[in-house]
Amino acid sequence: MGEPLPPAEWASLTRNERITLQRGAARVAGGTVDLVADDGSIFWVHLDNGVGRVAIHVDDDATVWRA
């Protein structure tokens, strides 16, 4: 999967970009970026397989990789 994207670089994510996401000990999931705050502190992602849309905040225990 390569190196994870540090939260300080989340502002570089773009709409419709494919990512892989892990939240805490949860299973790794794929998804598509929907919106990103200008400062990159939070972004929203549509998870694959109709799982839903979630917000990821810098204070969450989340790891993000570009797909």
Side-chain angles (χ1 to χ4, degrees), residues 5 16 18 20 22 26 41 51 56 59 66:
L5 187 65
N16 297 320
R18 296 280 309 152
T20 302
Q22 182 169 8
S41 64
V51 177
I56 307 300
D59 290 337
R66 284 194 153 98

Side-chain angles (χ1 to χ4, degrees), residues 24-47:
R27 249 180 37 190
V28 172
T32 305
V33 174
D34 184 24
L35 296 171
V36 181
D38 289 339
D39 66 359
S41 64
I42 189 168
F43 69 94
W44 289 260
V45 59
H46 288 285
L47 298 174

